[in-house]
Amino acid sequence: MTAAQTIQAPDSKAADRQVRHRGARRRNLRGWMFIGPVVLGTLLFNVIPVVPTLVTSFTDWDGLAAPTFKGLANYQEMFSGQDPLFGKSLINTVIYTVGYVPVGIIIGIALALLVNNRLRGMAVIRALIFLPYVTSLVAVGVVSRWVFSDQYGVINAVLASFGITGPHWLGEPGSAMAAVIATAIWANMGFNMIIVLAGLQGVPETLIEAATLDGAGRFSRFVHVTLPFLTPTIFLLLILQTIGSFQVFALILVMTGGGPGDGTYVYIYHLWYEAFTLRRMGYASALAIVLFAVLLAVTWIQNRLSKRWVFYQ
């Protein structure tokens, strides 16, 4: 090797490092250009508002006059039993979550497997299933009130044709919650289906073909091949749907108004009632902070438990 080559070799390596560094910076810049608007929107509308909400939670404020500092009085009211609807609304929200989330995910998986075929007209079927998700929840709630009406409802009319007297769906606490859960599942099944469909694209066809050649049936292929690849998708849906279920409001407001009695009186409805009916903005802010803490804890627990059943390929 000549002296010139010995001198040029380090320079060549340094030039290569500079090129790779510039390429990495360009890729990072493109990545931030894609996620930047989402990150900025999340900061402006989700993260930063937590600070004034936290400050307001220590005050007595009606939304108009100057707030009065109360310290921990709002939180003491919640946890000392002075507000009986706090515990009731939280229990009702948990009942709604337990009834809605697992059934909604299972139906979404079933629909995704059903429409994951290249058949004529399948795109139209997918669009029809997804249509309720892009429909206004207020409109969905109004229609559902008619569907579950004890006098004019379609469900009771079908039951009557078989000689069965249908219940007063929205007039009894248990059936009213079931009606709201059923409506929520129907309204969101298209979203779950689309997410699971995206997950199905990551299942290697070669593994399915190999399992078929080994004599595995359709159910066995799903359990042992497809389902493990879907666990990250299912975990994503579990997180999203749990957070969404704790924030259910529009369907409750339109369909039941929190009734009958307090049978469907959920947490966000209680927060809304305290803030905009009783004008207790400080107490409503404390309710919001507690909800934030509950969702943070639930999400952390789900993330820890996911290490036992979520398989990343």
Side-chain angles (χ1 to χ4, degrees):
M1 180 181 292
T2 64
Q5 289 174 330
T6 304
I7 295 174
Q8 291 175 0
D11 294 339
S12 177
K13 292 180 180 179
D16 290 341
R17 285 196 297 268
Q18 290 178 357
V19 170
R20 288 196 298 269
H21 184 63
R22 285 196 298 267
R25 283 192 299 180
R26 285 195 296 268
R27 289 192 296 272
N28 290 337
L29 179 61
R30 285 197 296 267
W32 278 107
M33 289 176 62
F34 280 110
I35 69 172
V38 177
V39 172
L40 182 62
T42 302
L43 288 174
L44 290 177
F45 300 108
N46 295 98
V47 178
I48 295 178
V50 172
V51 177
T53 302
L54 179 62
V55 174
T56 306
S57 70
F58 297 109
T59 66
D60 181 13
W61 185 42
D62 63 358
L64 297 175
T68 304
F69 182 74
K70 291 180 62 177
L72 297 174
N74 288 326
Y75 295 95
Q76 290 174 349
E77 180 179 347
M78 264 185 282
F79 296 109
S80 65
Q82 299 178 44
D83 178 13
L85 290 176
F86 166 72
K88 181 62 177 178
S89 64
L90 190 58
I91 292 173
N92 284 342
T93 303
V94 172
I95 293 173
Y96 172 86
T97 301
V98 171
Y100 161 70
V101 173
V103 177
I105 293 176
I106 291 172
I107 291 178
I109 294 173
L111 290 174
L113 293 173
L114 181 65
V115 302
N116 191 34
N117 295 297
R118 299 174 183 176
L119 301 177
R120 185 182 298 274
M122 195 57 67
V124 176
I125 295 175
R126 292 179 183 178
L128 291 176
I129 296 174
F130 190 73
L131 185 61
Y133 180 72
V134 296
T135 304
S136 168
L137 280 178
V138 174
V140 170
V142 170
V143 172
S144 293
R145 287 195 63 175
W146 284 96
V147 170
F148 287 102
S149 172
D150 59 320
Q151 296 180 340
Y152 314 106
V154 175
I155 295 178
N156 280 2
V158 172
L159 293 175
S161 65
F162 291 97
I164 302 174
T165 301
H168 186 5
W169 290 99
L170 301 179
E172 300 173 5
S175 58
M177 181 62 80
V180 173
I181 291 173
T183 302
I185 290 172
W186 177 78
N188 291 282
M189 63 182 182
F191 174 79
N192 293 342
M193 178 196 70
I194 291 297
I195 297 299
V196 176
L197 271 175
L200 287 174
Q201 308 311 308
V203 181
E205 290 290 337
T206 54
L207 292 181
I208 297 178
E209 293 173 359
T212 304
L213 292 174
D214 288 339
R218 180 173 298 180
F219 179 76
S220 181
R221 292 197 302 270
F222 171 75
V223 172
H224 298 290
V225 179
T226 304
L227 190 58
F229 279 91
L230 282 180
T231 51
T233 303
I234 296 172
F235 176 57
L236 171 65
L237 282 177
L238 183 63
I239 294 290
L240 295 178
Q241 297 295 359
T242 300
I243 293 174
S245 64
F246 268 84
Q247 298 174 335
V248 61
F249 173 71
L251 288 179
I252 298 293
L253 180 66
V254 175
M255 292 182 64
T256 65
D262 53 11
T264 59
Y265 194 89
V266 293
Y267 195 91
I268 290 295
Y269 189 90
H270 183 45
L271 190 156
W272 169 82
Y273 185 81
E274 291 286 343
F276 298 104
T277 301
L278 301 182
R279 303 192 64 83
R280 301 180 65 201
M281 296 294 181
Y283 185 68
S285 297
L287 288 170
I289 294 299
V290 170
L291 177 62
F292 173 78
V294 169
L295 287 176
L296 187 64
V298 170
T299 304
W300 180 82
I301 292 172
Q302 289 177 328
N303 186 60
R304 291 297 299 268
L305 293 177
S306 69
K307 297 177 181 179
R308 301 182 180 182
W309 62 275
V310 178
F311 305 99
Y312 295 98
Q313 304 301 324

